[in-house]
């Protein structure tokens, strides 16, 4: 499950950049990180049935978590863009990415514990499921757009 979540998050993060480049010239539309975040928050709030107070307490933490995770994703992307042309550099890149995968899970764990302080556990679980559902929905939407 942990591996699946990590892969899903990485896929979404990488596809966001790919989507932005792919659709840049199409009908003048550009990918908007702010619009994506707004849609995500609306979807999560609706799916998890958050009250106004719960949403006000929860979403600053949610945004903070995503900012920290984005830094790790960017570092992982930087590793992928390096010229890795020998076994030594590839082995080091693998070790670095493994450390970053662990760091991502630690960030999630840290923020899930913070979420539990502002929301009931059942709602935190609904939030986690809603976020996964939203990302799958968006990936499906983006993959069908090119057809």
């Amino acid at each position: 499950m942990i591996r699946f979540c990590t892969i899903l998050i990485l896929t979404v993060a990488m596809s966001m950049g790919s989507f932005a480049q792919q659709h840049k010239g199409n009908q003048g539309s550009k990918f908007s990180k702010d619009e994506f975040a707004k849609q995500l928050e609306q979807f999560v709030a609706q799916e998890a049935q958050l009250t106004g107070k719960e949403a006000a307490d929860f979403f600053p933490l949610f945004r903070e978590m995503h900012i920290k995770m984005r830094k790790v994703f960017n570092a992982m992307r930087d590793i992928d863009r390096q010229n890795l042309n020998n076994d030594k550099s590839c082995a080091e890149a693998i070790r670095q990415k493994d450390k970053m995968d662990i760091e991502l899970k630690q960030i999630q764990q840290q923020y899930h514990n913070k979420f539990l302080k502002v929301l009931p556990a059942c709602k935190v679980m609904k939030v986690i499921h809603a976020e996964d559902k939203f990302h799958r929905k968006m990936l499906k939407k983006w993959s069908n757009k090119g057809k």
Side-chain angles (χ1 to χ4, degrees):
M1 181 67 181
I2 292 172
R3 194 72 155 159
F4 172 77
C5 289
T6 302
I7 291 170
L8 179 65
I9 290 169
L10 289 173
T11 303
V12 170
M14 289 179 200
S15 67
M16 287 170 43
S18 171
F19 175 80
Q21 289 177 352
Q22 189 178 43
H23 290 79
K24 195 172 188 175
N26 295 353
Q27 303 167 351
S29 66
K30 289 185 179 181
F31 176 79
S32 168
K33 290 180 187 177
D34 293 334
E35 184 62 28
F36 181 86
K38 181 179 166 186
Q39 289 176 3
L40 172 62
E41 288 182 15
Q42 288 174 344
F43 187 84
V44 166
Q46 182 180 7
E47 289 285 310
Q49 301 167 337
L50 300 180
T51 65
K53 183 182 179 345
E54 287 173 335
D57 292 342
F58 169 73
F59 282 114
L61 293 172
F62 188 72
R63 288 182 208 111
E64 191 178 294
M65 178 183 76
H66 282 274
I67 289 168
K68 288 184 179 183
M69 291 175 73
R70 168 68 36 217
K71 289 178 185 176
V72 177
F73 289 136
N74 288 341
M76 291 174 94
R77 186 186 63 225
D78 291 344
I79 289 171
D80 287 337
R81 290 181 176 170
Q82 292 175 1
N83 185 14
L84 304 172
N85 54 10
N86 62 54
D87 284 341
K88 184 177 179 181
S89 61
C90 288
E92 181 57 30
I94 291 167
R95 286 186 199 95
Q96 287 177 351
K97 288 185 76 161
D98 287 346
K99 285 181 185 178
M100 289 176 191
D101 279 337
I102 293 168
E103 185 178 348
L104 284 171
K105 291 313 297 176
Q106 288 173 335
I107 291 169
Q108 284 182 326
Q109 183 180 36
Q110 175 189 3
Y111 278 90
H112 289 170
N113 288 330
K114 288 182 181 185
F115 297 166
L116 289 168
K117 292 179 182 174
V118 297
L119 294 176
C122 287
K123 286 203 176 183
V124 172
M125 188 59 116
K126 286 180 181 180
V127 164
I128 293 167
H129 287 211
E131 185 176 10
D132 289 342
K133 185 176 177 181
F134 178 81
H135 288 140
R136 284 192 308 275
K137 179 180 153 186
M138 294 305 283
L139 284 171
K140 187 174 183 178
K141 178 181 172 183
W142 294 336
S143 66
N144 289 335
K145 220 173 195 173
K147 294 180 180 178

